[in-house]
Amino acid sequence: MSRLLGGTLERVCKAVLLLCLLHFLVAVILYFDVYAQHLAFFSRFSARGPTRALHPAASSTTNCSRPNATAPSSGLPEVPSARPGPTVPVLPPCPDLPPGLVGRLLIEFTSPMPLERVQRENPGVLLGGRYTPPDCTPAQTVAVIIPFRHREHHLRYWLHYLHPILRRQRLRYGIYVINQHGEDTFNRAKLLNVGFLEALKEDAAYDCFIFSDVDLVPMDDRNLYRCGDQPRHFAIAMDKFGFRLPYAGYFGGVSGLSKAQFLRINGFPNEYWGWGGEDDDIFNRISLTGMKISRPDIRIGRYRMIKHDRDKHNEPNPQRFTKIQNTKLTMKRDGIGSVRYQVLEVSRQPLFTNITVDIGRPPSWPPRG
């Protein structure tokens, strides 16, 4: 009995001893694991300390200037990030029928019209007579070409009335006064060719050209100064003609052609010195190319003419009727491709661009009789 009890006690002691040994081994393993973690922690701490001490500026810049920033590479400056610039608002297209038009206008030429007054009335017009609507994007860029000499009085009235009309029509436009130098016979059509070329030199974006005499003012702002699918005749009813066309093929006063249409007819003829004939030649050129002339309603196409004495150097061309009959022969050789002139001065005024040109002298006509 005692021997059995002693054997059991021995086995219990061995089991307890094994448990103690197992506990000791677990404790040793845990101890070394914790020790290793502490050792790694203090190693990182001690390694980070000298780096911060050696590069205090880099550490300070990285932590304080921008969140989540990365330190610059050694020896290379940090490239600043690109910042978006201010966005330009996209304007809607200008309406086909501008809402600010007033219709029939009261046109009179009795009160004095100094240029200073016209300038005050049009503060949005830029130097050189350029204007762009601030609230929409026009479909066309329009150059208004005026053949000119010795008509300062008329020009002031023209600018007074036309600038507000063109602005209400929501046009992007420029005004070009082509001033013929000297006192030789006037040549309207050649000056218009010069205006076409010089306007494009200033701004190649021009795609519509309005050719206007300086003494004609529209009486209705619904007569839109734009170009269409066909050449357009604007001044179809003048007070001096009793508000009627003088004849069916009349194309004088104010007309408009797109750049493509103008080049298609080879521009205007250069050899019509003196009064009359060139507008009929232009009408013939348009007809020969198969295009048709469009016109506004006769009530909208009314114009008033500023009265003046005819220029003594603008007498009728004695050969104009012969030239008109030969348009088909002269159209290809006489036009925008053959115009010769010399620009003497370009002056950008507050309300228009003045271009003074020498267009040469007319040929000597044989005596009549």
Side-chain angles (χ1 to χ4, degrees):
M1 182 69 182
S2 59
R3 183 180 298 179
L4 182 61
L5 183 61
T8 302
L9 182 61
E10 181 181 1
R11 287 194 295 271
V12 171
C13 290
K14 289 181 178 180
V16 171
L17 181 61
L18 288 174
L19 288 175
C20 291
L21 181 61
L22 181 61
H23 180 271
F24 175 77
L25 291 174
V26 171
V28 170
I29 292 172
L30 292 177
Y31 172 79
F32 279 106
D33 183 65
V34 173
Y35 176 78
Q37 292 180 9
H38 280 272
L39 182 62
F41 171 78
F42 285 109
S43 297
R44 289 195 301 269
F45 181 81
S46 60
R48 196 185 311 166
T51 304
R52 186 176 299 156
L54 288 174
H55 305 284
S59 177
S60 175
T61 303
T62 302
N63 292 333
C64 298
S65 61
R66 296 195 309 271
N68 302 323
T70 57
S73 302
S74 176
L76 296 177
E78 184 179 4
V79 179
S81 60
R83 297 180 179 178
T87 57
V88 179
V90 178
L91 298 177
C94 293
D96 291 336
L97 184 61
L101 301 180
V102 298
R104 187 70 181 270
L105 304 171
L106 177 62
I107 308 295
E108 58 90 17
F109 307 116
T110 56
S111 59
M113 193 57 60
L115 280 176
E116 293 77 10
R117 171 185 168 182
V118 184
Q119 187 175 350
R120 289 195 305 269
E121 293 171 345
N122 297 278
V125 177
L126 303 180
L127 190 67
R130 302 294 298 271
Y131 178 78
T132 300
D135 56 350
C136 63
T137 302
Q140 299 178 353
T141 302
V142 181
V144 183
I145 312 296
I146 301 175
F148 185 82
R149 186 172 64 182
H150 306 323
R151 291 286 180 266
E152 288 78 8
H153 175 68
H154 298 156
L155 180 60
R156 290 194 292 269
Y157 281 116
W158 191 96
L159 295 169
H160 166 69
Y161 285 113
L162 264 296
H163 269 302
I165 290 175
L166 299 178
R167 289 192 292 110
R168 287 198 299 271
Q169 292 182 358
R170 298 292 199 277
L171 297 180
R172 181 196 294 120
Y173 67 88
I175 307 296
Y176 296 88
V177 175
I178 314 302
N179 180 35
Q180 180 175 332
H181 174 71
E183 299 297 329
D184 285 312
T185 305
F186 195 69
N187 190 325
R188 176 180 181 269
K190 191 171 184 178
L191 292 173
L192 295 178
N193 279 340
V194 172
F196 175 86
L197 294 173
E198 292 301 312
L200 284 176
K201 287 180 182 178
E202 182 175 271
D203 190 348
Y206 284 123
D207 50 8
C208 176
F209 297 83
I210 308 296
F211 304 97
S212 174
D213 290 346
V214 73
D215 57 359
L216 287 176
V217 176
M219 301 178 66
D220 197 309
D221 61 3
R222 292 172 295 178
N223 193 357
L224 302 178
Y225 275 39
R226 300 175 185 167
C227 293
D229 296 335
Q230 303 293 334
R232 188 165 180 81
H233 185 211
F234 296 92
I236 65 170
M238 301 183 197
D239 57 348
K240 75 168 186 174
F241 297 137
F243 295 111
R244 297 186 303 270
L245 280 174
Y247 50 92
Y250 181 70
F251 196 68
V254 185
S255 58
L257 294 91
S258 70
K259 181 180 178 181
Q261 293 163 0
F262 189 86
L263 295 176
R264 185 174 176 182
I265 65 172
N266 191 25
F268 298 156
N270 298 306
E271 301 304 323
Y272 282 85
W273 297 87
W275 172 80
E278 82 287 341
D279 47 357
D280 297 314
D281 194 298
I282 297 168
F283 179 88
N284 291 343
R285 292 179 179 225
I286 293 172
S287 300
L288 287 170
T289 56
M291 294 185 289
K292 297 182 179 180
I293 294 173
S294 66
R295 292 186 171 97
D297 184 275
I298 196 166
R299 294 169 298 176
I300 295 177
R302 292 190 173 195
Y303 280 74
R304 283 204 64 185
M305 172 175 278
I306 310 172
K307 295 181 181 180
H308 61 85
D309 296 328
R310 187 173 298 281
D311 189 340
K312 64 179 180 179
H313 298 293
N314 195 22
E315 294 299 320
N317 184 332
Q319 297 185 355
R320 66 185 186 279
F321 296 113
T322 302
K323 288 180 176 295
I324 294 170
Q325 295 172 0
N326 293 320
T327 302
K328 188 174 183 178
L329 300 176
T330 60
M331 177 177 169
K332 291 184 178 180
R333 62 176 176 82
D334 179 21
I336 193 66
S338 62
V339 61
R340 299 290 180 267
Y341 64 96
Q342 181 183 2
V343 176
L344 303 180
E345 181 185 13
V346 177
S347 175
R348 291 176 177 82
Q349 303 295 325
L351 299 169
F352 62 96
T353 296
N354 182 83
I355 303 177
T356 302
V357 294
D358 181 358
I359 60 173
R361 306 185 65 180
S364 299
W365 308 116
R368 300 180 184 179

